[in-house]
Amino acid sequence: MSTFDLLRTHSIPSLQATLEEYIAPATGARHVHLATAQPDLAFLVAFPTIPPTSDGRAHILEHLALSGSERYPVRDPFFSMLRRSTATFMNAMTYADRTVYPFASTDRKDFDNLLDVYLDATFFPRLDYLNFLQEGWRHVLDDGKLAYQGVVFNEMKGAFADPSRALYHGVVANLLAGTTYASVSGGDPLAIPDLTHAALKEFHATHYHPSQALFMTAGPIPAREIQQRIAERVLVRLPGTAPLMTPQLAAVDAPRTTVVTVPGQAGREDGHGIQLAWILGESADSAALHRANLLQAGLLGNASAPLRKAMETAGYGRPSRINGMDPNPRQLLFHLGMEGLTPDQVAPARTRIWDALEQAAATGVPQDVLDATLRDIKYEQRDTSSGRMPNVLARMLRAVPVAMRGGDVHDTFDSERVLDGLERQVADPAFFTGMVRALLDAPARLEATIAPDPDYFGKRGAAETARLAGDTARLTDADRARIDADNAALLALQGQPTDTAVLPRILPGDVDAQPLPLPAVEPGAANRFTFPIASNGISYARIEYDVSALPESDWPWLQLYADMRRGLGLDGMDYAEADAWRQRAVPVFSLQLLPALVDGRLRLTLRFHADGLREEHARIAEVLAAFIGKPRFDEVDRIAFLAAQSAQQRLNNLAQAGDQYAAVAAGAPHSPLRAFEHATAGIRSLPFRAGLQRLAATTAGAAQVGAQLARIHALVLACPAAVVCAGSDGDAAALAGLIQVPAAAAPDAAAAAAPDLGKGPAVLAQPGNLALHAPGQANHCHIAWPAPNVRHEDAPALAVAAELLTHRFLHRAIREQGGAYGGGASYASGAGLFTMKSYRDPRLKATYADFAAALDAFVEADFTTEQLEEAIISVIKNLDRPGSPFDAAMTALDLYRRGIGPADRARFRAGVLGCTAAHAQEAVQRWLRGQPGTRAAFVANAAQDLDGLTLVELPALFQEAQPPA
């Protein structure tokens, strides 16, 4: 007899899939399976985790569940399986009201291996006390002084660096007070030390039971085979049912007001804001979700939308970063607000938002805006593109909260039924105005005033210090002995070799010796490339300009052009009209500046990209022709707004972007690609953006910026262009035949030279060995060396060496012993670099010592065959990560342009599969050990030992930029 009963099935033609829903009557466990012919085999198990406090119990439990289980009593089976599996995705995520454990693979044996490991990890974890001390929190005594340590503790210190996080949590915690959403689900470092090991174990016992579990799977595998494994491994051992846990609903019967404090920059008055938030219903209601999507599109969807336009044309401030619908909590929320305000602008901003809502309730929005939104939903239904995870797994993750909250999961995978009803509703002009009026009249509303605090992190640090002082005052000799004993036991455990023999694995002999096939690249006449692909009725078009010839002095202006061009107008249309027209025409339009290394030289591509449904070919061609051939650069008010918004966002996100800034600064001396990124998106760009903001603060200055954008535009159009199209059957060729590359304009001999916006301190011109400081609570440490490209005979050995360094040395030293959230080594052939890094790290000097020690130990190590094979598999799985048909076509084109052919790919793969430990050690000795790597770190505390790094105060870069002449 089957353990699971089939409830219902649904055919989903747009996904070429069948949705099957099951339940296990004996336990209440649910299984949702998407039967497809696609190669991705995906699995997840999800549990409702509803923490009553901010002590991080759900998050720490996520870490401990993957730190050893009954069948796999290995200290870190998750990290071990990362190198023993060809999984295309493996992770675990803690949300505000659920924890999800997903993975995906294209290999059935690997899928079965991971299924066993994940089932045992989640339902039968050991929850070892010493692992709790490592992953959660513990006291440590440093020279007799008490401190906190722990991976999650330090991870969340880094997470609190994001101002948007503080804003969002402050709003939601007040509007949904009394529910689990008022807690910090990941854990507040000030509350994490409240959690006990016993409380964590109890939380697992009550929340991780089959009665609470939701299983989701997808791929060309019968659901019954997966269910049999679930029944054998879990259900027979954990019988019984229990009521399904669901998050509480907030009862809000009258508008509320509050003040939310967020991190701010010292010396600035424009860090204030106003934020309004409403409860719109339950997010599991697919009809309510799509109505909120329509509301968002109508009010905020393009530059002509009434609320967005009102906020962007106020002459002060800018729209909040959290505006729009929010389906994350059980109750669907809608956010509207402005930031970047001075205190006396808060009240006018609130009035401006409210008046715009009243106007929208009276007049509505154009019908074609709503029609375009429904078209976009249809597009998303057909879109098979992948990002950091397979497309089908991303769809599964979106369906999890709907299923867990009692919604109809079918509507999440297939929007056709809901769309049919919405198409009829939006035809009534009163539909949209009624939604806006309901928003205005809704009592379930919060009005939050946003107050910046330059000492935000200082106060948190002081609170932690005060708590430690109290802990110290209560310490007894027995407590000190216990702390010392616990840390000694943990250190001994961390130093023990990990016996992974019990874990299943994929061997190098199990993988294909040949690379994954890619589409052939055959350039046509006039530098045109077409790719017939299985695109599910979506067509893609790009016009790409090779702008490599532009001088380095123009790089910041070229990046500014890429950033701002979409937000400006077209001939005969201002920016708002142009954006509305674009939205009506096609669902996707983007503009990107993409750097790449080709034989050690920098290649810059400016890409205009539009795609849509097959029936929108003419509009795709029209949008590309207009945005390339008919630009406007005379909208000085708009230019001033965009320049100020860009600069302010960078200033507000210094700590949040610290890891990226440090990575780019470390690599810039050795890599032309990183040098470009350093100049356009790294710390070298900060003085330019600050100077740009000051220049655009006047009408004459904004006109100068517009003139420079026009100059860059003329230079771009004079560069070599290519057309790239992809689509189903003959769609690619048909679309390519419609696209005309706009003719190059004659250069303006009278164009003024670019104004000097300041370059900041001289240290930025030659980056490296820098300590980049902004207020925060965690460090990010990087070191980089030049490395050969993928054709070099040492390239496979360096790729394998990076995996060995990560898993055999750095993971233990940086994460387990050092307490950082993450750390490792990487060989980036595309950037010509080998790097080591740590992420959200409480240490700095000791981390760099660990980097050096890892290289010394590496060249002397006696690696086992199993360790070497695990490193080889880790490299191969990254090579074999599948993408959508369009992703594969673009990968093929990128490799073609970089001169990397099938023979190069096959040679590299063969080198990886045949790599020996000696070859990896020789490569490390030749390229890394004893070589002058360049260091750069983001530091949250400038008073710590910087290990000889030169201090650079990031906020000061905005003040040090010289004003325009």
Side-chain angles (χ1 to χ4, degrees):
M1 178 180 293
S2 173
T3 306
F4 285 81
D5 291 344
L6 177 65
L7 298 178
R8 57 180 182 167
T9 65
H10 305 277
S11 175
I12 308 177
S14 61
L15 296 179
Q16 301 176 30
T18 300
L19 184 68
E20 304 166 359
E21 298 179 65
Y22 300 86
I23 193 167
T27 61
R30 294 158 293 159
H31 179 208
V32 176
H33 180 64
L34 194 66
T36 75
Q38 300 304 311
D40 290 300
L41 295 161
F43 168 88
L44 65 78
V45 59
F47 304 94
T49 46
I50 308 170
T53 71
S54 296
D55 61 13
R57 60 186 61 190
H59 187 187
I60 295 172
L61 176 56
E62 171 214 313
H63 281 238
L64 257 67
L66 299 173
S67 296
S69 62
E70 285 186 8
R71 291 187 66 207
Y72 306 106
V74 179
R75 231 171 9 94
D76 55 355
F78 174 77
F79 288 100
S80 295
M81 289 305 296
L82 282 175
R83 58 186 187 265
R84 300 169 73 89
S85 161
T86 54
T88 54
F89 186 87
M90 277 180 63
N91 211 335
M93 302 94 150
T94 298
Y95 300 88
D97 57 9
R98 63 195 183 278
T99 302
V100 187
Y101 298 84
F103 70 80
S105 179
T106 57
D107 182 273
R108 176 61 190 271
K109 176 183 176 183
D110 189 47
F111 177 86
D112 289 341
N113 289 347
L114 288 169
L115 180 60
D116 278 352
V117 171
Y118 266 61
L119 290 176
D120 207 58
T122 50
F123 289 98
F124 307 108
R126 291 193 302 167
L127 303 182
D128 178 74
Y129 173 66
L130 292 179
N131 283 334
F132 171 76
L133 298 182
Q134 173 183 287
E135 297 296 315
W137 76 277
R138 65 185 183 276
H139 280 122
V140 294
L141 286 164
D142 186 5
D143 291 333
K145 187 176 181 181
L146 206 59
Y148 296 124
Q149 183 59 284
V151 172
V152 170
F153 180 83
N154 290 317
E155 176 190 353
M156 294 310 297
K157 275 196 165 185
F160 269 73
D162 185 1
S164 295
R165 184 189 187 97
L167 169 61
Y168 176 80
H169 178 71
V171 169
V172 173
N174 279 279
L175 182 57
L176 303 182
T179 74
T180 191
Y181 305 104
S183 301
V184 179
S185 59
D188 185 336
L190 298 179
I192 286 175
D194 292 334
L195 180 64
T196 66
H197 183 231
L200 181 131
K201 294 177 71 173
E202 173 62 23
F203 192 75
H204 176 270
T206 55
H207 289 73
Y208 282 47
H209 186 271
S211 62
Q212 308 301 315
L214 169 67
F215 300 97
M216 281 192 180
T217 53
I221 179 174
R224 296 297 184 188
E225 294 183 14
I226 302 171
Q227 291 165 2
Q228 181 178 353
R229 187 71 63 94
I230 293 172
E232 292 172 353
R233 297 287 190 258
V234 177
L235 302 189
V236 296
R237 295 188 54 193
L238 296 173
T241 63
L244 185 64
M245 297 180 182
T246 55
Q248 312 94 314
L249 294 172
V252 184
D253 53 11
R256 299 174 178 174
T257 60
T258 193
V259 176
V260 174
T261 302
V262 301
Q265 295 290 339
R268 298 185 69 97
E269 286 293 311
D270 58 353
H272 297 260
I274 179 71
Q275 197 72 42
L276 305 174
W278 290 262
I279 297 176
L280 297 185
E282 293 206 33
S283 56
D285 180 348
S286 58
L289 191 68
H290 285 304
R291 285 196 298 270
N293 195 3
L294 287 166
L295 187 65
Q296 174 179 283
L299 296 178
L300 299 165
N302 63 65
S304 71
L307 264 294
R308 180 171 160 188
K309 188 170 185 178
M311 291 186 279
E312 291 187 345
T313 60
Y316 53 83
R318 58 191 176 277
S320 166
R321 285 163 286 182
I322 67 170
N323 280 353
M325 75 164 184
D326 175 11
N328 293 304
R330 181 181 173 187
Q331 287 163 288
L332 184 64
L333 305 182
F334 195 81
H335 303 272
L336 286 175
M338 290 183 69
E339 60 188 23
L341 306 174
T342 61
D344 59 355
Q345 292 168 344
V346 171
R350 192 265 184 203
T351 300
R352 191 173 184 85
I353 292 170
W354 202 262
D355 288 349
L357 281 173
E358 289 282 5
Q359 183 64 32
T363 61
V365 296
Q367 178 67 34
D368 52 20
V369 171
L370 304 180
D371 292 339
T373 304
L374 297 181
R375 183 271 324 274
D376 291 350
I377 296 173
K378 292 179 182 179
Y379 172 89
E380 291 171 1
Q381 177 71 26
R382 293 192 201 174
D383 183 24
T384 60
S385 60
S386 299
R388 55 187 288 265
M389 67 177 67
N391 181 279
V392 69
L393 186 55
R395 292 177 184 269
M396 290 162 58
L397 286 171
R398 288 195 294 269
V400 165
V402 175
M404 297 186 80
R405 297 167 185 168
D408 190 337
V409 72
H410 168 247
D411 290 337
T412 307
F413 286 102
D414 185 3
S415 56
E416 291 298 328
R417 183 175 66 181
V418 176
L419 282 175
D420 288 342
L422 287 176
E423 285 174 346
R424 292 190 297 271
Q425 289 179 299
V426 300
D428 180 358
F431 171 71
F432 185 82
T433 57
M435 286 197 298
V436 181
R437 175 50 58 189
L439 198 69
L440 286 162
D441 295 341
R445 182 180 81 241
L446 176 76
E447 183 175 313
T449 301
I450 313 305
D453 184 357
D455 196 31
Y456 182 90
F457 297 113
K459 290 176 179 176
R460 291 187 63 83
E464 180 181 323
T465 299
R467 175 164 185 160
L468 284 167
D471 292 345
T472 301
R474 291 186 293 272
L475 273 183
T476 65
D477 290 342
D479 291 331
R480 290 181 180 275
R482 175 184 52 78
I483 292 171
D484 285 338
D486 283 347
N487 282 283
L490 178 58
L491 185 62
L493 178 67
Q494 293 166 341
Q496 293 175 4
T498 301
D499 182 7
T500 57
V502 68
L503 289 170
R505 69 182 178 115
I506 298 296
L507 298 170
D510 296 329
V511 301
D512 198 324
Q514 296 301 314
L516 286 179
L518 291 173
V521 179
E522 299 177 357
N527 207 19
R528 291 176 180 248
F529 301 82
T530 57
F531 294 92
I533 59 172
S535 68
N536 216 12
I538 292 176
S539 294
Y540 307 84
R542 294 173 171 180
I543 298 180
E544 301 181 338
Y545 290 89
D546 182 350
V547 295
S548 308
L550 269 64
E552 182 177 348
S553 59
D554 276 337
W555 287 354
W557 291 101
L558 185 61
Q559 185 64 59
L560 184 70
Y561 175 90
D563 293 343
M564 294 179 64
R565 176 66 194 86
R566 179 180 167 176
L568 300 177
L570 302 172
D571 186 24
M573 290 184 272
D574 66 21
Y575 73 90
E577 293 166 334
D579 198 29
W581 171 74
R582 195 282 310 158
Q583 183 194 40
R584 295 193 300 270
V586 295
V588 175
F589 174 74
S590 65
L591 180 57
Q592 296 171 291
L593 181 59
L594 303 171
L597 277 188
V598 180
D599 293 329
R601 293 177 290 105
L602 184 68
R603 186 183 196 275
L604 295 178
T605 300
L606 187 68
R607 173 185 295 163
F608 294 83
H609 180 197
D611 54 65
L613 303 177
R614 171 184 286 138
E615 53 268 30
E616 296 171 324
H617 279 188
R619 291 181 176 180
I620 291 173
E622 189 179 3
V623 165
L624 288 172
F627 272 88
I628 298 174
K630 300 178 181 179
R632 286 184 62 180
F633 300 106
D634 60 344
E635 298 171 287
V636 293
D637 288 345
R638 179 64 172 173
I639 288 171
F641 170 78
L642 293 175
Q645 176 178 250
S646 170
Q648 192 62 44
Q649 286 176 346
R650 295 202 182 202
L651 178 62
N652 290 342
N653 290 329
L654 290 177
Q656 185 69 4
D659 180 62
Q660 173 197 341
Y661 287 150
V664 169
H670 309 298
S671 167
L673 188 147
R674 293 288 184 264
F676 171 81
E677 294 170 341
H678 179 63
T680 58
I683 58 171
R684 191 176 171 190
S685 70
L686 298 181
F688 174 84
R689 293 285 173 158
L692 179 74
Q693 183 181 29
R694 285 193 288 273
L695 180 65
T698 67
T699 300
Q704 276 187 273
V705 176
Q708 291 307 310
L709 295 176
R711 179 181 68 84
I712 292 294
H713 180 75
L715 293 174
V716 168
L717 265 61
C719 292
V723 173
V724 182
C725 292
S728 301
D729 302 321
D731 288 351
L735 179 55
L738 295 175
I739 292 177
Q740 300 297 318
V741 177
D748 184 359
D756 182 7
L757 299 184
K759 298 179 175 58
V763 70
L764 300 187
Q766 296 293 329
N769 300 313
L770 304 178
L772 314 176
H773 174 248
Q777 292 188 293
N779 302 320
H780 307 282
C781 304
H782 292 259
I783 185 169
W785 294 264
N789 68 25
V790 72
R791 295 193 198 89
H792 194 281
E793 64 180 0
D794 282 342
L798 287 171
V800 172
E803 299 297 334
L804 284 168
L805 278 164
T806 296
H807 297 297
R808 298 299 157 197
F809 302 99
L810 297 178
H811 175 79
R812 178 174 296 172
I814 304 299
R815 190 181 191 276
E816 293 183 354
Q817 297 175 352
Y821 178 48
S826 175
Y827 166 58
S829 63
L833 291 173
F834 193 101
T835 60
M836 294 186 192
K837 66 170 287 187
S838 70
Y839 183 68
R840 293 181 179 173
D841 192 343
R843 308 181 306 155
L844 188 139
K845 184 175 182 178
T847 291
Y848 281 114
D850 284 337
F851 290 160
L855 293 178
D856 291 339
F858 184 90
V859 298
E860 303 295 335
D862 184 15
F863 295 110
T864 67
T865 299
E866 180 177 311
Q867 290 170 345
L868 180 64
E869 289 176 342
E870 288 179 350
I872 289 171
I873 288 298
S874 296
V875 177
I876 292 296
K877 76 175 181 182
N878 289 324
L879 297 178
D880 289 352
R881 190 179 301 276
S884 70
F886 177 67
D887 296 330
M890 294 306 99
T891 297
L893 181 60
D894 175 65
L895 292 174
Y896 170 84
R897 286 175 168 165
R898 291 167 54 197
I900 300 173
D904 298 311
R905 296 177 61 219
R907 189 181 308 112
F908 179 81
R909 187 182 186 89
V912 170
L913 290 171
C915 184
T916 65
H919 191 181
Q921 289 168 318
E922 290 166 4
V924 166
Q925 182 68 46
R926 184 158 39 246
W927 292 94
L928 309 176
R929 191 186 186 204
Q931 301 301 317
T934 303
R935 300 180 300 161
F938 174 83
V939 298
N941 174 17
Q944 66 186 298
D945 186 340
L946 300 181
D947 197 28
L949 299 178
T950 300
L951 183 66
V952 177
E953 292 286 354
L954 296 186
L957 295 182
F958 280 85
Q959 283 75 45
E960 291 177 6
Q962 296 299 313

